[in-house]
């Protein structure tokens, strides 16, 4: 209401024709300002009046009012759609009434409903509806829930038996429970199903648990299990990469085919030109190494268990174990002068005057056998298992498959003299070996390896292999380390200077180990096993006594075919090159280079 | 139309172009800013198989000339065949496997040839072409092991042999007069009848020792220079006059065979790994392999350079394949000749363009390969 004009809320057009425009408070007429504004005047005003744009006519009083700056500002703000008041800041931070932070007191003080403490009524309705549908047979539940099987079983005649919980989920629990730490387990027992409540036995851990509770009560300090947080990567020894340990055999190069049955044994000439192999087809074959050519085949009339080429390069002899005899054969390969000289050496033997009592018989070969190459036959009383030469080439040892004290015999070929070094039998002898340099003799029985000093004629050491059945043995050319392969797929490396227990046990193979071998010059050793592979390892022995040997498995050589569950039967290194020969049950000998 | 279709092969910087040009340039790091010269040559045609000669046993060595093929066999004989595959002569006399054979001289009337065997002797034979009779002139004794390799020098008066006793021996290849020898021989008591039949004993002119393992292959690289490869992983160059060791090239693996090409002055070696390596014999005591050709999957038993082309050679291997290589394309051979069913033991290449390979399947295969002249100007 405009207090200057008391006219009230009426349309101002009613005063159009009158000279006045309402009445003031005193009741006097308010006359319109005297102005007759015609078009020309209005136009001139528009052009010349600088304040034209901010003059408005007040409807109540009829006067022209010039708007102040604040009023103009207000008008502009309203036109932009902003809030009228200048002092109003539309961007002030909002003050939450209901804040997101958890305050001590709730917004409302309304107490919780009872339904938050009581089982849900809605769910109860749902279950009731579902259950009645199941019972009525309209709906079937998924398997796995005890509802699917039904909780009660009708025994007929009104008798109902409770089925009990489903036993199936409990079975895998036992293994997981056993593997967990005792402190981590949720329950101290494995839940077990019993036929009925009467059959549930007394709790076995009852007293233990009572005791633990008592300890807890008087705050007994328990020994903490120190859990070592070991990174499993640290436990793996840092071995050099095989690439750095070259040369070693990597691929199969040649296959020597010709034998008809499994090839049990191999030996190579000291020059490295010839290879001899003995097989179950009762023949011994001589091969040229570089071409796989079978130079000679010698039928020997019996299964060949072991062959050994005399390591002395000036004597050309091969010892072959056939059934109950050891044949000394001159293969007539290589230098004619050498094998001629060997024959002369053998012929120049003069028998001693007195008859010696020998455990074996030395028989010169018949002419027919001589033509085939056989020079001497050493007749044993039982089947011979293994023959091996001493490094100098004069003595050789043979092992008889017997359980008496006459298992091991040492023979001297130049004097044709044999002796039995042992009075008592210490077990089934598996294999024997001469030391390359010193006068030691190694005898491997099923679980132990005994080292005898031949000069002093006494037992020096007994090596405990941790294996159940030793199958083969080999000695490092330096003479201080031995490896034993056993039928329980373990290879034990013994450092004779270190201890009588194995320095390392290598479990690289999956099946029984049949044969082990060392290389004469390169730091390599190999093992052949029934899984058909030969594993070549780098075995560096240091001259420095403080440093332990470094054993690194370097290559798995595959190639043999498994026959009759047997794989590789014998393994041998070439004397000069980093090559390995292996003979297998598939009747072949393979060369890996 | 007077034109015919010819296939071409392209070379960039001496390397054959086998992959798309862009790939080749990327691989060889050739800048595309510069001008790249591409040389074109007529494509080398595949060797055409000609003959297959059956033997009784493994073929250990083969050497062919313009008219005849000489092979050494594991049945203790050497045989002479015509180029059409007809057997002409069997040279028997050794008591062990024949490991290497070589021609010394050929006339139209008579030829001289050598055979080396595992019985530690080398026999010098004279073959009368007209009458087709062969006679052992000399039996060269002296080695203490199987003689695995022989090589005749360019003057055809001397030959060198390498054996399992780690020695090299130089012998004279000139047959001496029989009368003089016979008189001398009559004074000495004859111990064995066999020496009569096998010719008169001859002793070596010189013995070269230095290898620590068996010698597998020898050749004459110059008038007075012998090159020998051995199982002790070295190739040694000797001066034939003085008998001194000139230089040694060391490798990693046993060498099976070497071949020298006077055209490119390179030695090619086959080893007991699958690679063929090229060496420069003039380099002083090093183990610098110039190029390594890899494609075989087994031991390389023998290599031979082409006598006419400076970049081509063939190699035989235990994986039953003979490969023809061009040294400019070192990633893959030009051709694979897979005719053998068993190990290839020896290869040869004649001046007339005949490739021969013999192996453990008792067969000798001959291929005709047109002798292309080398690109190097006369």
């Amino acid at each position: 209401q405009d207090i200057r004009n008391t006219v009230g809320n009426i349309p101002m057009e009613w005063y159009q024709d009158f000279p006045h425009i309402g009445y003031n408070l005193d009741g006097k007429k308010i006359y319109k300002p005297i102005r007759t504004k015609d078009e020309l005047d209005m136009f001139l005003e528009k052009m010349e009046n600088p304040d034209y744009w901010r003059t408005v006519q007040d409807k109540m009083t009829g006067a022209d009012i010039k708007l102040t700056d604040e009023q103009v500002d207000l008008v502009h703000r309203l036109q932009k759609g902003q809030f009228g008041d200048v002092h109003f800041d539309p961007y002030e931070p909002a003050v939450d009434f209901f804040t997101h932070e958890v305050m001590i007191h709730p917004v409302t003080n309304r107490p919780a409903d009872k339904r938050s403490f009581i089982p849900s009524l809605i769910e109860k309705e749902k279950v009731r509806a579902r259950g009645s549908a199941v019972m009525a047979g309209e709906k079937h539940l998924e398997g796995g829930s005890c509802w699917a099987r039904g909780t009660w079983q009708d025994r007929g005649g009104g008798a109902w038996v409770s089925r009990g919980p489903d036993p199936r989920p409990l079975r895998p629990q036992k293994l997981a429970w056993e593997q967990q730490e005792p402190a981590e387990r949720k329950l101290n027992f494995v839940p077990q199903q019993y036929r009925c409540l009467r059959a549930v036995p007394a709790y076995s851990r009852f007293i233990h648990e009572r005791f633990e509770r008592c300890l807890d009560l008087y705050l007994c300090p328990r020994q903490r299990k120190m859990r070592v947080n070991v990174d499993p990567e640290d436990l793996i020894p840092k071995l050099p990469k095989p690439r750095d340990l070259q040369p070693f055999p990597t691929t199969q190069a040649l296959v020597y085919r010709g034998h008809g049955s499994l090839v049990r044994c191999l030996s190579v000439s000291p020059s490295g030109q010839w290879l001899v192999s003995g097989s179950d087809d009762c023949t011994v074959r001589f091969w040229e190494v570089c071409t796989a050519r079978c130079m000679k085949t010698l039928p020997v009339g019996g299964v060949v268990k072991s062959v050994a080429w005399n390591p002395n390069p000036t004597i050309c002899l091969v010892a072959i174990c056939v059934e109950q005899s050891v044949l000394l054969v001159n293969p007539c390969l290589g230098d004619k002068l050498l094998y001629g000289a060997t024959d002369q050496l053998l012929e120049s033997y003069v028998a001693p005057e007195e008859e010696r009592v020998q455990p074996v018989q030395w028989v010169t070969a018949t002419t027919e056998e001589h033509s085939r190459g056989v020079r001497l036959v050493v007749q044993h009383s039982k089947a011979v298992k293994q023959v091996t030469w001493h490094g100098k080439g004069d003595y050789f040892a043979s092992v008889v498959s017997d359980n008496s004290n006459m298992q091991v015999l040492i023979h001297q070929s130049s004097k044709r003299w044999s002796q039995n070094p042992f009075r008592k039998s210490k077990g089934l002898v598996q294999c024997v070996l001469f030391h390359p340099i010193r006068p030691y003799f190694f005898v491997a029985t099923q679980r132990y390896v005994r080292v005898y000093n031949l000069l002093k004629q006494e037992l020096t050491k007994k090596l405990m292999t941790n294996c159940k059945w030793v199958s083969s043995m080999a000695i490092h050319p330096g003479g201080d380390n031995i490896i034993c392969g056993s039928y329980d797929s373990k290879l034990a490396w013994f450092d004779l200077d270190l201890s009588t227990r194995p320095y390392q046990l290598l479990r690289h193979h999956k099946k029984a180990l049949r044969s082990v071998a060392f290389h004469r010059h390169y730091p390599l050793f190999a093992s052949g096993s029934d899984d058909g592979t030969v594993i070549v390892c780098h075995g560096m022995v240091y001259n420095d006594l403080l440093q332990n040997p470094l054993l690194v498995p370097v290559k798995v050589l595959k190639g043999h075919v498994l026959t009759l569950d047997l794989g590789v039967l014998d393994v041998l290194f070439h004397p000069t090159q980093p090559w390995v020969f292996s003979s297998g049950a598939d009747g072949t000998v393979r060369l890996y280079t | 139309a007077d034109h015919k279709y010819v296939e071409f092969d392209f070379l960039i910087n001496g390397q054959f172009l086998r992959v798309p040009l862009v790939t080749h340039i990327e691989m060889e790091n050739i800048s595309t800013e510069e001008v790249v010269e591409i040389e074109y040559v007529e494509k080398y045609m595949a060797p055409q198989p000609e003959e297959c000669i059956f033997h009784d046993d493994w073929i250990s060595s083969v050497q062919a000339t313009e008219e005849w093929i000489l092979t050494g066999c594991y049945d203790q004989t050497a045989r002479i065949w015509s180029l059409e595959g007809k057997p002409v002569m069997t040279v028997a006399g050794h008591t062990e496997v024949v490991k290497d054979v070589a021609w010394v001289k050929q006339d139209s009337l008579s030829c001289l040839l050598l055979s080396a065997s595992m019985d530690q002797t080398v026999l010098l034979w004279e073959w009368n072409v007209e009458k087709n009779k062969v006679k052992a002139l000399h039996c060269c004794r002296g080695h203490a092991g199987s003689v695995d390799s022989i090589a005749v020098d360019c003057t055809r008066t001397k030959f060198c042999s390498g054996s399992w006793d780690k020695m090299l021996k130089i012998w004279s290849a000139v047959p001496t007069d029989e009368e003089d020898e016979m008189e001398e021989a009559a004074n000495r008591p004859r111990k064995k009848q066999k020496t009569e039949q096998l010719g008169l004993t001859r002793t070596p002119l010189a013995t070269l020792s230095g290898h620590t393992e068996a010698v597998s292959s020898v050749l004459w690289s110059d008038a007075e220079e012998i090159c020998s490869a051995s199982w002790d992983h070295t190739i040694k160059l000797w001066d034939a006059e003085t008998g001194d060791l000139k230089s040694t090239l060391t490798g990693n693996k046993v060498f099976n065979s070497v071949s020298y090409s006077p055209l490119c002055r390179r030695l090619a070696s086959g080893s007991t790994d699958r690679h063929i390596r090229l060496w420069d014999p003039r380099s002083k005591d090093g183990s610098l392999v110039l190029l390594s050709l890899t494609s075989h999957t087994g031991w390389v038993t023998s290599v031979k350079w082409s006598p006419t082309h400076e970049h081509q050679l063939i190699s035989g291997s235990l994986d039953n394949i003979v490969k023809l290589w061009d040294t400019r394309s070192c990633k893959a051979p030009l051709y694979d000749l897979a005719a053998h069913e068993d190990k290839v033991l020896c290869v040869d290449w004649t001046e007339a363009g005949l490739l021969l390979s013999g192996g453990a399947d008792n067969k000798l295969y001959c291929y005709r390969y047109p002798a292309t002249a080398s690109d190097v100007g006369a």
Side-chain angles (χ1 to χ4, degrees):
Chain A
Q1 292 275 348
D2 197 340
I3 51 168
R4 296 169 295 170
N5 191 349
T6 58
V7 77
N9 196 10
I10 54 158
M12 282 297 151
E13 289 97 64
W14 295 358
Y15 281 97
Q16 218 173 1
D17 296 327
F18 296 95
H20 68 284
I21 189 166
Y23 303 86
N24 63 4
L25 280 171
D26 297 328
K28 302 247 166 42
K29 286 183 185 170
I30 304 172
Y31 285 97
K32 295 180 190 168
I34 302 163
R35 57 156 188 225
T36 44
K37 289 254 171 99
D38 58 352
E39 295 282 335
L40 198 59
D41 278 329
M42 281 171 63
F43 176 71
L44 284 173
E45 220 181 280
K46 215 192 271 187
M47 287 292 132
E48 285 165 16
N49 188 3
D51 292 328
Y52 175 76
W53 59 279
R54 41 152 80 173
T55 352
V56 288
Q57 192 187 17
D58 188 357
K59 277 211 172 131
M60 284 293 145
T61 57
D64 287 323
I65 305 179
K66 178 185 158 193
L67 293 174
T68 60
D69 284 332
E70 288 104 10
Q71 289 171 322
V72 173
D73 221 4
L74 177 66
V75 170
H76 283 156
R77 276 208 302 280
L78 289 174
Q79 278 179 332
K80 277 193 231 166
Q82 291 174 345
F83 209 82
D85 189 8
V86 175
H87 301 294
F88 176 74
D89 180 13
Y91 301 115
E92 276 179 24
V95 176
D96 283 334
F97 179 57
F98 290 106
T99 162
H100 64 278
E101 292 155 3
V102 177
M103 301 295 193
I104 308 166
H105 303 291
V107 172
T108 57
N109 206 9
R110 184 178 159 177
D113 295 314
K114 183 179 179 184
R115 61 171 178 264
S116 59
F117 301 106
I118 285 184
S120 159
L121 289 170
I122 303 169
E123 280 191 11
K124 187 168 140 191
E125 272 303 302
K126 280 191 195 164
V127 166
R128 195 187 64 81
R130 263 191 164 192
S132 58
V134 168
M135 290 307 233
E138 286 158 12
K139 199 169 173 182
H140 293 281
L141 290 165
E142 307 88 56
S145 78
C146 55
W147 281 87
R149 298 165 55 239
T151 324
W152 293 98
Q153 195 181 1
D154 191 355
R155 274 288 172 87
W160 288 79
V161 176
S162 160
R163 275 217 175 122
D166 196 356
R168 280 172 296 169
L170 294 179
R171 274 180 228 138
Q173 277 179 15
K174 185 150 191 215
L175 197 61
W177 183 86
E178 272 169 17
Q179 282 176 350
Q180 269 179 326
E181 297 295 326
E184 281 176 357
R185 295 174 187 155
K186 283 196 195 134
L187 300 168
N188 284 339
F189 58 95
V190 181
Q192 211 181 352
Q193 188 185 26
Y194 293 97
R195 202 173 33 89
C196 58
L197 195 56
R198 283 182 298 119
V200 176
Y203 183 45
S204 53
R205 284 182 55 96
F206 176 69
I207 297 176
H208 194 100
E209 284 199 359
R210 287 289 102 205
F211 180 64
E212 297 244 318
R213 178 67 183 149
C214 293
L215 291 182
D216 284 340
L217 285 174
Y218 71 79
L219 305 175
C220 166
R222 238 68 74 84
Q223 186 181 43
R224 266 192 176 228
K225 179 169 176 186
M226 293 310 293
R227 285 277 206 88
V228 186
N229 280 338
V230 180
D231 191 12
E233 292 295 317
D234 293 337
L235 292 171
I236 302 173
K238 294 204 176 32
L239 296 172
K241 288 207 178 74
R243 263 185 282 135
D244 306 329
L245 300 169
Q246 292 264 359
F248 54 84
T250 45
T251 48
Q252 182 180 293
L254 279 173
V255 181
Y256 300 75
R257 286 185 211 275
H259 275 295
S261 175
L262 40 105
V263 183
R264 277 197 192 267
C265 42
L266 286 177
S267 185
V268 72
S269 75
S271 65
Q273 197 181 2
W274 316 105
L275 179 71
V276 64
S277 62
S279 153
D280 268 7
D281 63 354
C282 309
T283 61
V284 168
R285 278 176 192 255
F286 293 88
W287 310 86
E288 185 188 6
V289 164
C290 51
T291 51
R293 168 89 181 179
C294 177
M295 305 299 302
K296 274 202 178 119
T297 306
L298 185 65
V300 288
V303 163
V304 181
K305 285 267 173 67
S306 172
V307 283
W309 202 303
N310 194 322
N312 189 343
T314 53
I315 301 181
C316 192
L317 268 188
V318 178
I320 303 175
C321 291
V322 182
E323 310 242 314
Q324 295 194 358
S325 52
V326 173
L327 306 173
L328 290 180
V329 171
N330 186 339
C332 296
L333 288 171
D335 194 2
K336 270 197 213 138
L337 290 173
L338 273 184
Y339 60 74
T342 311
D343 275 344
Q344 279 186 339
L345 187 68
L346 288 173
E347 276 158 28
S348 67
Y349 165 74
V350 174
E353 283 146 15
E354 24 171 288
E355 277 289 326
R356 291 170 297 189
V357 178
Q358 301 231 54
V360 293
Q361 260 187 315
W362 286 78
V363 178
T364 332
T366 61
T367 35
E368 190 266 326
E369 285 177 337
H370 196 99
S371 63
R372 279 190 286 144
V374 183
R375 298 285 178 264
L376 288 173
V377 179
V378 185
Q379 280 287 4
H380 290 65
S381 49
K382 296 239 170 96
V384 188
K385 224 166 29 168
Q386 192 215 351
V387 72
T388 173
W389 288 92
H390 182 260
K392 296 258 170 56
D394 194 19
Y395 288 90
F396 64 94
S398 62
V399 176
V400 165
S401 51
D402 190 5
N403 213 344
S404 65
N405 64 328
M406 264 245 299
Q407 278 184 75
V408 181
L409 295 164
I410 299 187
H411 318 265
Q412 189 176 8
S413 56
S414 57
K415 297 216 174 82
R416 299 203 193 169
W417 184 39
S418 315
Q419 45 183 327
N420 177 8
F422 302 115
R423 239 180 306 130
K424 207 168 69 159
S425 141
K426 297 279 186 183
L428 198 62
V429 172
Q430 297 292 117
C431 53
V432 295
L433 204 52
F434 280 98
H435 193 283
I437 309 160
R438 280 167 260 164
Y440 288 111
F441 190 58
F442 298 89
V443 176
T445 52
Q446 273 189 337
R447 303 186 67 171
Y448 303 105
V449 175
R450 288 182 174 80
V451 185
Y452 295 92
N453 187 331
L454 289 169
L455 285 181
K456 292 190 201 158
Q457 299 186 354
E458 61 183 16
L459 172 71
T460 318
K461 250 187 245 197
K462 184 166 124 172
L463 303 175
M464 327 273 177
T465 65
N466 287 343
C467 311
K468 300 271 164 30
W469 197 323
V470 171
S471 67
S472 49
M473 215 174 23
I475 185 160
H476 190 265
D480 285 328
N481 299 276
I482 291 187
I483 43 174
C484 289
S486 76
Y487 287 126
D488 47 355
S489 56
K490 282 193 269 205
L491 193 149
W493 174 295
F494 289 92
D495 190 339
L496 293 172
D497 293 332
L498 191 64
S499 91
T500 55
R501 291 196 182 267
Y503 160 67
Q504 259 192 37
L505 270 178
L506 303 174
R507 284 188 194 79
H508 298 306
H509 282 285
K510 304 273 175 339
K511 287 203 197 162
L513 246 70
R514 292 259 165 198
S515 176
V516 288
F518 264 108
H519 197 289
R520 237 182 264 178
H521 302 295
Y522 289 91
L524 295 172
F525 64 94
S527 54
S529 109
D530 269 350
D531 57 4
T533 62
V534 173
I535 293 188
V536 176
C537 303
H538 174 98
M540 185 72 198
V541 174
Y542 299 100
N543 285 337
D544 178 12
L545 288 170
L546 292 172
Q547 210 171 350
N548 283 334
L550 174 70
L551 310 181
V552 183
V554 129
K555 186 77 189 174
V556 176
L557 297 166
K558 295 191 189 142
H560 276 286
V561 176
L562 287 173
T563 321
L564 305 164
D565 277 341
L566 297 171
V568 174
L569 293 171
D570 201 4
V571 169
L572 184 64
F573 275 104
H574 191 274
T576 51
Q577 303 293 330
W579 298 344
V580 71
F581 299 96
S582 68
S583 77
D586 53 358
T588 59
V589 178
R590 285 165 205 261
L591 170 66
Y592 299 90
T593 61
Chain B
D2 289 343
H3 57 266
K4 56 173 182 163
Y5 285 102
V6 176
E7 288 201 24
F8 286 102
D9 241 338
F10 300 95
L11 285 149
I12 296 182
N13 277 351
Q15 294 272 328
F16 269 103
L17 190 61
R18 293 277 177 238
V19 288
L21 187 59
V22 181
T23 323
H24 187 96
I25 285 179
E26 271 172 45
M27 277 182 354
E28 301 288 323
N29 285 332
I30 303 172
S31 158
T32 46
E33 301 289 320
E34 300 160 5
V35 174
V36 178
E37 283 192 5
I38 305 182
E39 198 185 321
Y40 68 90
V41 289
E42 240 183 81
K43 189 163 182 146
Y44 300 114
M45 298 316 298
Q48 299 301 317
E50 268 200 355
E51 295 297 324
C52 171
I53 304 178
F54 289 90
H55 284 66
D56 288 332
D57 212 337
W58 295 10
I59 303 164
S60 58
S61 53
V62 62
Q63 202 175 64
T65 65
E66 313 303 322
E67 300 158 2
W68 311 107
I69 302 174
L70 173 64
T71 61
C73 190
Y74 267 69
D75 64 356
Q76 305 177 357
T77 66
R79 283 169 203 268
I80 307 178
W81 311 78
S82 73
L83 286 185
E84 289 82 39
K86 296 231 173 12
V88 170
M89 190 67 211
T90 301
V91 181
H94 281 290
T95 50
E96 279 289 339
V97 163
V98 172
K99 291 250 53 193
D100 203 1
V101 288
W103 289 103
V104 178
K105 217 168 44 167
Q106 288 136 60
D107 297 330
S108 49
L109 296 168
S110 70
C111 300
L112 282 176
L113 54 103
L114 289 164
S115 61
S117 153
M118 228 182 245
D119 62 3
Q120 306 161 291
T121 60
V122 180
L123 289 173
L124 176 65
W125 305 85
E126 185 192 0
W127 176 45
N128 194 317
V129 183
E130 280 178 281
K131 291 188 227 161
N132 202 13
K133 278 211 166 102
V134 75
K135 186 173 134 187
L137 293 179
H138 290 284
C139 175
C140 309
R141 287 179 198 279
H143 274 298
S146 153
V147 186
D148 268 9
S149 172
I150 45 178
V152 183
D153 81 331
C154 38
T155 62
R156 311 267 155 198
T157 53
K158 292 194 292 240
F159 72 94
C160 170
S161 63
S163 125
W164 263 89
D165 64 352
K166 310 169 197 169
M167 305 288 179
L168 288 134
K169 290 188 194 278
I170 307 179
W171 316 73
S172 154
V174 178
T176 49
D177 269 346
E178 284 188 29
E179 293 147 12
D180 299 336
E181 288 287 335
M182 282 288 276
E183 279 187 40
E184 277 191 48
N187 297 336
R188 281 183 285 122
R190 303 235 171 89
K191 279 190 186 162
K192 288 181 191 170
Q193 290 251 320
K194 276 197 179 162
T195 43
E196 274 191 70
Q197 298 162 4
L198 285 180
L200 309 146
T201 311
R202 171 165 281 185
T203 46
L205 298 172
T207 304
L208 310 171
S209 64
H211 278 297
T212 50
E213 291 283 330
V215 178
S216 54
S217 180
V218 291
L219 54 90
W220 290 82
S221 51
D222 211 350
E224 290 294 336
E225 195 181 73
I226 298 176
C227 175
S228 66
S230 148
W231 278 44
D232 61 0
H233 313 177
T234 59
I235 298 178
K236 288 189 196 274
L237 288 149
W238 311 81
D239 184 331
E241 258 182 301
T242 58
D244 287 334
L245 176 63
K246 283 213 269 189
S247 68
T248 310
L249 296 166
T250 321
N252 267 337
K253 303 274 167 147
V254 165
F255 288 109
N256 275 331
S257 155
V258 272
S259 176
Y260 179 70
S261 167
L263 298 169
C264 60
R265 283 184 289 277
R266 295 277 180 267
L267 274 173
S269 73
S271 308
T272 53
D273 54 8
R274 10 186 292 251
H275 309 290
I276 302 162
R277 293 185 174 89
L278 299 187
W279 310 76
D280 182 4
R282 303 279 159 252
S283 67
K284 295 277 162 240
D285 277 329
S287 50
L288 198 59
V289 178
L290 295 166
L291 196 58
S292 188
L293 304 169
T294 309
S295 174
H296 281 294
T297 51
W299 290 9
V300 179
T301 49
S302 56
V303 288
K304 191 85 192 348
W305 282 99
S306 161
T308 49
H309 201 289
E310 58 171 0
H311 287 130
Q312 285 180 355
L313 60 105
I314 50 169
S315 63
S317 148
L318 293 185
D319 60 359
N320 314 353
I321 304 182
V322 175
K323 291 186 193 256
L324 173 67
W325 298 84
D326 188 307
T327 53
R328 294 173 292 196
S329 142
C330 54
K331 305 264 176 12
L334 284 180
Y335 291 104
D336 280 4
L337 310 168
H340 281 283
E341 288 142 13
D342 204 348
K343 317 184 262 277
V344 177
L345 297 174
C346 54
V347 290
D348 194 25
W349 196 326
T350 65
E351 298 247 337
L354 193 65
L355 302 179
L356 302 123
S357 69
D361 55 353
N362 306 356
K363 298 203 193 105
L364 181 76
Y365 284 100
C366 308
Y367 301 87
R368 175 65 51 188
Y369 190 61
T372 47
S374 78
D375 304 323
V376 175

